[in-house]
Structures are given as structure tokens and as C-alpha cells.
């Protein structure tokens, strides 16, 4: 479309500048063939966006470059952010048909203004679009403000960049207040800021454009459109170093995209990037012409030293097929070879420097293919070796399992014997403790034992003493009575008196002797109690000593039996360890022989695969 061109600086030596531009064009022609095109039409731009969107790439790789000269085309593309914004506006209008239909009419007239060539028709649709915009009542419709600003920036008859900038700033402020997603806000803010920079560029206000483009990068740090025009504005304001640095980023960006397409075996994407590289736009801007030396150095450095030709690539693919190694192809290898074959068919004879960015990555693809095939061959032979050695592994595993089982069993035996020892010691402890408790109970209650109670012994003796005294009293009385002459007794009273006196005499003597005996009996009971207590204390000491002796005996017996069992287990385990070592040694010897044979075969295959490069 016809729009005011960016005003370029005129040097004092026009002829010299013309020569510089001529060299610039010649370099572009030689290195990019016919890919550099200043004229982009509507259908070409829409087609370009449709292709890019069809790849379903991430945000960083799916930015549609906004050409300054045909920037109004951008708003005809149904980008995700524009579609989401339009959908939000429809929902926000709450069914107001006038608002929905009003914006639809605005966009229809805007499309006609963009695509028509006649100045008269363009002016008509531009004015009609603006009138519809002014009638549209939805205050939240920022898209109408943007379209209005674009018309004021790019229409020759209605050109008013200052008003356009004001409208774009207003739309940016309103956008931040709308309840749309942050992603939509970020993406639209980025685009609005770029169009603001374009409005400044229309006025040759490159310092202001440079500042605005830096702001655009705050919304999208990887924004390639912003970076490109940031480089252009830097060149315009004399910041040569910044311009070169940014151009280096742009060329690297194209290389990264080419790498991405190759790594994903995506020929359509590779062709798209090769046809629509951002680098081409550098050679559409003649302001960069006097930087040709630096730009050429950047492109050559990015291209690298890889000299792989597409004919050579085709030869490699053919030779790979001639090796008939398809049985060793993985799914990824098959896809890669198919991709390389299509690249050869599509790009043979293409001398484009951007396309040449793909060569190092194509070389890596070929290396990946040959390495993968060789690895598959190696895996096949390694599997065969493994199958041949499986009997050794089974034998080793069986012995190792037996060792584990015996080790586990020996641990269980240890635990069992430990448990048995603990039970025996606990039983001994319990028995000894019970006996000691019984003895201690006797000691504590020895005073209650009548057998060792002096008082009880004395009382018992006194009972016998009284009985004996009574008997002596009776017997002694009658003996004393009959011991005298009967004639001396005159009456019964006298006789009984004699009996009592005689009995008292003898019973008194007996009672006194009995008391002495009772005292001795009490003394002996006390002595017996002391002796019994000492005996019981000695018994406690004996029980404790018995416990210690018996504990040692139980431990020694347990340890002896356990050692016997463990020695038996150790011998069996050692036998199986020797079997494992013998099998492992035999396996290693067999493996060395088999591996040597495999290495020889792999060497042959490796030489065949290497031959595809020649």
C-alpha cells in the first residue's frame, strides 16, 4: 500500500551513497537470492500469518513480524490476542446488538481501506471508518481506538501522527483497566507500543521511537519486531554499536528458528523460516547499507564453516539406503532419514545464506543417524552376548540367592539362640528371685514364728512347770503324810493339814526348779532365732552365688551350640562364594572372547557407515 516512506539521511556525496546501496543490494542478491522483498501485499501477509499459526508454536517462535510499511495489515490477522479481545468485547456488550454490529462494520470498512489502491476510495473508507468509530458507544472498545490511530498514521490524506499517538496511549491505558487475561494485556500492550513507535518514526522522531521500542521489550523481552526497529532507530540516532549488537541478535534468532525446525524434522517449518527470515528485512532498509561489512561478518560467523552441500546430503542418504541396514533403524532414525531426503529434494541448488544456517544441524542429524544405527547394531550383538552368558548369570544368581538365604537363616538362628538364652536367664532370674523373696519373707517374719519366740517358749515351759508342780504337790503331800506314824494323826483335819504342808514343800521346790528351766528354754529359743536368721542370710548369699554360676554355665552352653551352627553356615556360604567366583571368572573369559568378535564386526559396520560421508 502507498504510505509515506521513512525519511533517510542524505549524504554530501550521493554517488558514494548510491554505490554503498548498490553493494548492499548485490550482497543481498548473492546471499539471499530473491528472498529480500520490500513489497509485501495483503494476501501474502495473510498467507504468511496463516502458515505461521498452523505450526502451533510457542509464543517466542510464533510472533508475526510487523512490517513498518504495511503495518495496517496486522489488524486483519486473527491473532489469538485480537480474537480474545474481540470475544471479550462481545461478552462485555451483554447482547447489545448495536455495539457488536457497530464494531463489525468498523472492521469491514477498515479492511476495505487497507486493501483498496485508489486514493479516492481509500479516503472514503478511511473517513467512513472514523465516523463509525466515533459513533461506537462502547467505552471499553480499545480496538476501535487502535484502528483509528492506524488510519491517522498511514493514510496520506488524514495523516495526523500526534493524534494517533494520543489514541494509542489512551488505548494502552484503558487496556490495563480491562478484565482480560494478563497474556492478552501483555501481547496487545506490546503491539500497541510498536505502533506508537511507528507513529514517531513517521515523524522522523527516532529518539522517541527508540525509547518507546525499549518499552515494548518490557512487555515482550523476546519481541523480534521491537528489536528490529530498535536497531533501525539506534542506527538513525547514531548509536552504531547498539544497532550492530541488536542485528547480531536478529541473525542469531533466525538461526535458532532454523535449528528448531531441523531438530524437529519439520521441513515445512524449515521452508517457512527460510522464506520469512527476519534477517531479510535488514536488507530492505538501506539505512543499514553502510554497515554492510559488520552485517556480513555477523552472517558469516553465524553460518559457520560447515561446507556440507545438499548434493552431498543426498549422496549420504542414498548411500545409507544402499547399506540395507533398515532392520537397525529406530522410529526416530526412520523419521530423520525421511526428513533429510526431503531436505535434499527441496533445497538442492539453494544458495541462500539463511538456508545455509541449517547445515551444521543437518550434519548433526547425519551423525545422529549413523551413531544410532551403530548403537542399534551394538545393542543387537550385546543382546546376543547376554543371551549366551545367561546360564552363567543364572548360576551366579542361584548361588547369590543361596548365600542370601543362608545369611538370613544364620541371622535367624542367632536371634533364636539369643531368645533362648534370654528366656533361660529370665527363668533362672525368676526362680532365684522367688527363692530369695521366700527367704527374705522368713527373715522378716521370724519373730512371729512361735518356734523362735522366747516368750512363747517361756510360757509353754511354765505350763508344763505348773502341771508338774501340781503333780508333785499331790504326790509329795500324800508321801509326806504316809511317811509319818498314823498314830500321831488324830483326825481327818490333821491328816489333810499334813498332806498340804508336805505337798507345798515339795511343790515349791519343783516350781522353783521349773522356773529356772523355763528361763533356760526362753534363752535357747532366742539363740535359735539368731542362728536361724544367720542361716537364712547365708542361704540368700548362696542363691546369689548360684545365680552367677548358673548364668555363666547357661551362656557358655548357648555360645557353644550357636558357634557350632554358625560354623556350619559359614562353611556352606564360603562354598557358594567360591562357586560364584568360579562362574564369574568363566563368564569373564567367555565374555572377552565374544566381545572381541563383536568389536571386529562393529568395526566393519562402523567403516561402512563412515563410508557414506565420502
Amino acid at each position: 500500500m502507498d504510505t509515506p516512506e521513512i525519511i533517510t539521511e542524505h549524504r554530501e556525496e550521493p554517488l558514494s551513497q548510491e554505490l554503498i546501496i548498490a553493494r548492499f543490494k548485490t550482497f543481498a542478491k548473492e546471499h539471499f537470492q530473491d528472498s529480500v522483498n520490500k513489497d509485501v501485499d495483503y494476501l501474502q501477509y495473510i498467507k504468511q500469518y496463516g502458515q505461521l499459526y498452523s505450526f502451533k508454536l510457542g509464543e517466542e517462535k510464533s510472533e508475526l513480524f510487523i512490517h513498518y510499511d504495511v503495518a495496517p495489515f496486522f489488524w486483519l490477522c486473527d491473532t489469538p490476542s485480537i480474537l480474545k479481545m474481540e470475544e471479550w468485547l462481545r461478552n462485555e456488550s451483554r447482547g447489545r446488538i448495536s455495539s457488536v454490529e457497530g464494531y463489525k462494520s468498523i472492521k469491514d470498512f477498515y479492511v476495505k481501506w487497507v486493501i483498496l489502491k485508489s486514493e479516492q476510495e481509500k479516503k472514503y473508507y478511511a473517513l467512513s471508518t472514523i465516523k463509525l468509530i466515533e459513533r461506537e458507544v462502547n467505552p471499553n472498545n480499545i480496538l476501535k481506538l487502535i484502528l483509528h490511530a492506524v488510519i491517522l498514521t498511514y493514510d496520506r490524506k488524514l495523516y495526523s501522527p500526534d493524534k494517533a499517538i494520543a489514541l494509542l496511549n489512551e488505548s494502552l491505558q484503558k487496556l490495563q483497566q480491562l478484565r482480560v487475561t494478563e497474556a492478552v494485556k501483555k501481547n496487545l500492550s506490546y503491539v500497541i507500543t510498536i505502533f506508537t513507535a511507528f507513529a514517531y518514526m513517521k515523524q522522523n522522531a527516532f529518539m522517541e521511537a527508540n525509547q518507546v521500542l525499549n518499552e515494548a521489550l518490557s512487555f515482550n523481552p523476546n519481541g523480534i519486531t521491537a528489536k528490529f526497529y530498535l536497531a533501525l532507530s539506534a542506527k538513525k540516532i547514531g548509536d552504531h554499536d547498539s544497532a550492530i549488537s541488536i542485528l547480531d541478535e536478529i541473525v542469531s534468532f533466525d538461526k535458532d528458528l532454523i535449528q528448531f525446525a531441523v531438530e524437529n524434522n519439520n521441513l515445512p517449518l524449515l521452508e517457512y523460516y527460510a522464506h520469512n527470515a527476519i534477517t531479510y528485512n535488514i536488507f530492505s532498509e538501506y539505512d543499514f547499507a553502510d554497515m554492510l561489512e559488520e552485517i556480513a561478518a555477523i552472517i558469516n560467523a553465524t553460518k559457520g564453516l560447515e561446507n556440507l552441500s545438499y548434493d552431498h546430503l543426498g549422496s549420504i542418504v542414498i548411500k545409507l539406503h544402499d547399506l540395507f541396514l533398515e532392520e537397525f533403524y529406530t522410529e526416530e532414525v526412520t523419521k530423520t532419514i525421511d526428513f533429510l531426503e526431503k531436505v535434499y529434494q527441496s533445497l538442492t541448488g539453494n544458495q541462500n545464506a539463511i538456508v545455509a544456517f541449517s547445515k551444521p544441524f543437518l550434519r548433526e542429524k547425519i551423525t545422529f543417524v549413523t551413531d544410532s544405527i551403530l548403537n542399534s547394531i551394538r545393542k543387537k550383538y550385546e543382546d546376543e552376548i547376554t543371551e549366551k552368558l545367561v546360564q552363567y548369570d543364572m548360576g551366579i544368581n542361584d548361588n547369590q540367592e543361596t548365600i542370601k538365604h543362608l545369611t538370613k537363616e544364620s541371622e535367624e538362628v542367632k536371634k533364636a539362640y539369643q531368645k533362648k538364652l534370654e528366656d533361660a536367664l529370665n527363668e533362672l532370674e525368676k526362680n532365684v528371685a522367688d527363692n530369695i523373696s521366700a527367704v527374705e519373707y522368713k527373715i522378716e517374719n521370724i519373730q512371729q514364728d512361735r518356734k523362735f519366740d522366747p516368750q512363747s517358749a517361756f510360757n509353754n515351759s511354765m505350763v508344763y512347770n505348773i502341771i508338774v508342780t501340781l503333780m508333785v504337790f499331790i504326790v509329795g503331800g500324800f508321801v509326806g503324810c504316809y511317811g509319818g506314824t498314823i498314830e500321831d494323826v488324830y483326825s481327818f483335819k490333821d491328816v489333810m493339814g499334813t498332806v498340804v504342808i508336805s505337798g507345798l514343800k515339795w511343790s515349791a521346790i519343783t516350781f522353783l526348779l521349773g522356773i529356772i528351766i523355763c528361763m533356760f528354754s526362753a534363752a535357747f529359743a532366742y539363740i535359735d532365732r539368731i542362728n536361724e536368721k544367720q542361716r537364712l542370710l547365708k542361704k540368700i548369699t548362696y542363691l546369689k552365688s548360684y545365680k552367677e554360676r548358673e548364668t555363666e554355665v547357661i551362656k557358655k552352653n548357648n555360645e557353644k551350640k550357636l558357634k557350632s551352627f554358625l560354623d556350619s553356615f559359614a562353611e556352606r556360604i564360603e562354598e557358594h562364594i567360591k562357586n560364584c567366583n568360579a562362574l564369574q571368572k568363566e563368564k569373564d573369559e567367555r565374555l572377552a572372547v565374544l566381545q572381541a568378535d563383536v568389536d571386529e564386526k562393529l568395526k566393519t559396520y562402523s567403516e561402512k557407515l563412515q563410508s557414506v560421508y565420502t
Side-chain angles (χ1 to χ4, degrees):
M1 62 183 298
D2 295 328
T3 58
E5 297 290 340
I6 299 175
I7 297 175
T8 56
E9 298 176 0
H10 295 283
R11 298 178 177 270
E12 294 181 359
E13 301 178 1
L15 184 59
S16 175
Q17 180 65 16
E18 289 177 5
L19 288 174
I20 291 172
I21 293 174
R23 288 180 58 228
F24 195 59
K25 289 180 179 180
T26 301
F27 181 90
K29 182 70 174 177
E30 291 176 352
H31 288 79
F32 308 115
Q33 299 167 346
D34 296 325
S35 296
V36 177
N37 183 13
K38 285 179 66 69
D39 299 322
V40 181
D41 63 27
Y42 163 69
L43 292 178
Q44 181 184 351
Y45 194 81
I46 297 300
K47 180 181 178 182
Q48 179 184 346
Y49 171 71
Q51 285 181 301
L52 179 60
Y53 187 70
S54 68
F55 294 121
K56 306 295 183 184
L57 304 172
E59 181 180 333
E60 183 178 346
K61 296 179 177 64
S62 61
E63 180 187 346
L64 179 63
F65 183 77
I66 305 174
H67 295 267
Y68 169 82
D69 292 331
V70 293
F73 289 168
F74 176 82
W75 299 101
L76 305 184
C77 299
D78 292 331
T79 67
S81 295
I82 293 176
L83 290 175
K84 289 178 181 177
M85 190 69 230
E86 289 177 345
E87 180 183 3
W88 184 85
L89 288 172
R90 285 194 298 271
N91 295 333
E92 193 270 343
S93 66
R94 296 183 178 88
R96 292 195 301 270
I97 298 176
S98 59
S99 179
V100 175
E101 291 298 324
Y103 175 70
K104 185 176 182 299
S105 298
I106 291 171
K107 195 165 184 182
D108 289 341
F109 275 75
Y110 176 82
V111 171
K112 292 177 180 178
W113 169 75
V114 170
I115 64 177
L116 291 174
K117 300 296 183 181
S118 167
E119 287 290 337
Q120 193 66 26
E121 290 180 316
K122 290 182 72 67
K123 181 179 179 181
Y124 168 76
Y125 284 107
L127 290 172
S128 298
T129 303
I130 292 173
K131 286 179 181 179
L132 289 172
I133 288 172
E134 291 172 348
R135 290 176 189 172
E136 214 280 327
V137 295
N138 189 346
N140 293 323
N141 190 344
I142 64 166
L143 294 178
K144 69 176 183 180
L145 299 177
I146 297 171
L147 297 182
H148 192 176
V150 172
I151 292 173
L152 295 179
T153 304
Y154 282 88
D155 190 273
R156 288 180 181 274
K157 303 296 183 181
L158 304 177
Y159 179 61
S160 179
D162 290 334
K163 187 175 180 182
I165 291 170
L167 288 170
L168 289 168
N169 288 335
E170 181 183 354
S171 67
L172 185 61
Q173 292 175 359
K174 284 189 174 182
L175 175 61
Q176 309 312 315
Q177 299 170 0
L178 300 183
R179 294 181 179 179
V180 294
T181 64
E182 288 301 317
V184 171
K185 282 185 180 180
K186 183 180 70 171
N187 292 332
L188 285 180
S189 295
Y190 170 71
V191 175
I192 292 169
T193 310
I194 286 176
F195 273 83
T196 304
F198 288 170
Y200 279 116
M201 290 168 66
K202 285 286 185 180
Q203 304 176 78
N204 292 321
F206 291 103
M207 183 66 73
E208 291 79 359
N210 187 275
Q211 294 173 354
V212 172
L213 288 165
N214 274 303
E215 292 175 13
L217 290 175
S218 68
F219 297 112
N220 181 5
N222 299 309
I224 198 64
T225 301
K227 286 186 177 181
F228 179 83
Y229 288 105
L230 188 63
L232 181 60
S233 63
K235 175 64 172 65
K236 287 285 190 178
I237 62 177
D239 190 352
H240 184 92
D241 292 340
S242 294
I244 286 294
S245 176
I246 298 170
L247 291 178
D248 191 4
E249 289 184 37
I250 290 169
V251 176
S252 295
F253 175 81
D254 282 333
K255 182 178 181 180
D256 290 343
L257 295 180
I258 294 292
Q259 179 181 3
F260 176 79
V262 172
E263 289 177 347
N264 288 275
N265 294 331
N266 195 328
L267 180 60
L269 186 61
L270 175 61
E271 291 174 335
Y272 174 85
Y273 286 146
H275 185 69
N276 298 286
I278 308 302
T279 302
Y280 299 149
N281 295 283
I282 297 174
F283 294 89
S284 296
E285 298 294 343
Y286 298 150
D287 289 287
F288 292 126
D290 59 356
M291 300 169 64
L292 178 59
E293 186 176 344
E294 292 97 327
I295 295 171
I298 291 171
I299 292 173
N300 290 329
T302 305
K303 188 167 58 173
L305 301 177
E306 179 57 59
N307 59 359
L308 175 70
S309 69
Y310 294 108
D311 287 335
H312 189 197
L313 173 64
S315 172
I316 291 173
V317 172
I318 292 171
K319 289 179 180 179
L320 280 172
H321 286 313
D322 291 342
L323 292 177
F324 300 105
L325 297 175
E326 285 79 1
E327 63 176 302
F328 301 109
Y329 289 4
T330 63
E331 182 181 354
E332 187 62 26
V333 166
T334 301
K335 289 180 180 179
T336 302
I337 291 176
D338 183 58
F339 169 72
L340 293 174
E341 190 168 10
K342 290 178 179 177
V343 168
Y344 158 67
Q345 294 169 355
S346 174
L347 301 180
T348 296
N350 193 317
Q351 300 299 319
N352 192 312
I354 297 297
V355 175
F357 288 171
S358 66
K359 291 183 177 181
F361 310 117
L362 292 172
R363 174 72 72 179
E364 291 176 5
K365 282 287 181 179
I366 297 169
T367 303
F368 162 76
V369 167
T370 55
D371 288 347
S372 295
I373 292 173
L374 191 60
N375 287 335
S376 295
I377 296 171
R378 180 181 290 106
K379 184 177 186 304
K380 175 193 174 183
Y381 286 117
E382 286 178 349
D383 290 344
E384 290 178 358
I385 290 175
T386 301
E387 186 176 350
K388 291 176 181 179
L389 298 178
V390 69
Q391 57 182 346
Y392 294 103
D393 293 329
M394 290 175 62
I396 291 171
N397 289 336
D398 288 343
N399 280 279
Q400 288 177 341
E401 287 298 320
T402 303
I403 290 170
K404 289 180 182 178
H405 176 74
L406 290 173
T407 303
K408 182 179 179 181
E409 193 173 341
S410 66
E411 292 298 323
E412 291 175 352
V413 168
K414 284 182 182 179
K415 292 178 181 178
Y417 269 87
Q418 183 63 32
K419 181 68 168 55
K420 187 176 180 180
L421 174 62
E422 290 174 357
D423 292 343
L425 293 177
N426 289 336
E427 183 66 21
L428 175 64
E429 176 74 24
K430 182 177 180 301
N431 291 337
V432 171
D434 290 344
N435 288 330
I436 291 176
S437 296
V439 173
E440 289 176 343
Y441 179 79
K442 287 183 180 181
I443 293 173
E444 290 176 1
N445 295 280
I446 196 169
Q447 293 184 355
Q448 279 72 39
D449 192 343
R450 296 177 62 83
K451 181 179 177 182
F452 303 108
D453 185 13
Q455 182 65 43
S456 180
F458 183 83
N459 292 337
N460 289 337
S461 297
M462 280 300 295
V463 171
Y464 291 119
N465 185 28
I466 291 170
I467 294 172
V468 171
T469 298
L470 289 175
M471 293 177 63
V472 169
F473 174 77
I474 295 170
V475 173
F478 283 102
V479 171
C481 176
Y482 289 105
T485 58
I486 195 69
E487 292 82 4
D488 295 333
V489 180
Y490 299 101
S491 62
F492 177 75
K493 182 178 180 182
D494 292 331
V495 172
M496 290 304 294
T498 301
V499 171
V500 170
I501 292 170
S502 178
L504 287 173
K505 179 178 67 175
W506 290 107
S507 63
I509 294 171
T510 300
F511 184 74
L512 290 174
L513 290 174
I515 289 175
I516 294 172
I517 291 172
C518 288
M519 293 177 66
F520 275 106
S521 177
F524 283 130
Y526 180 75
I527 293 170
D528 287 344
R529 185 170 70 180
I530 293 174
N531 290 337
E532 180 66 12
K533 188 173 183 179
Q534 291 299 320
R535 187 184 70 80
L536 292 174
L537 291 173
K538 288 180 180 180
K539 187 174 181 179
I540 290 174
T541 303
Y542 169 77
L543 289 172
K544 291 180 179 180
S545 176
Y546 168 79
K547 173 189 170 183
E548 293 175 358
R549 293 194 306 273
E550 194 64 20
T551 297
E552 289 299 319
V553 170
I554 292 172
K555 286 182 177 180
K556 287 180 179 179
N557 290 338
N558 184 277
E559 184 178 350
K560 184 177 179 181
K561 292 178 181 179
L562 178 60
K563 186 176 182 300
S564 176
F565 274 105
L566 294 180
D567 288 345
S568 174
F569 279 113
E571 291 175 1
R572 293 164 65 188
I573 290 172
E574 183 64 27
E575 181 182 352
H576 287 288
I577 291 174
K578 289 180 180 178
N579 290 340
C580 280
N581 292 337
L583 287 170
Q584 186 63 50
K585 182 179 178 182
E586 189 176 346
K587 176 188 174 182
D588 292 342
E589 292 172 352
R590 178 66 173 155
L591 176 60
V593 174
L594 294 173
Q595 190 64 53
D597 182 54
V598 168
D599 289 343
E600 190 64 30
K601 291 178 180 178
L602 287 174
K603 182 179 178 183
T604 302
Y605 278 111
S606 179
E607 291 173 352
K608 288 181 179 180
L609 289 168
Q610 289 300 316
S611 69
V612 304
Y613 293 100
T614 59

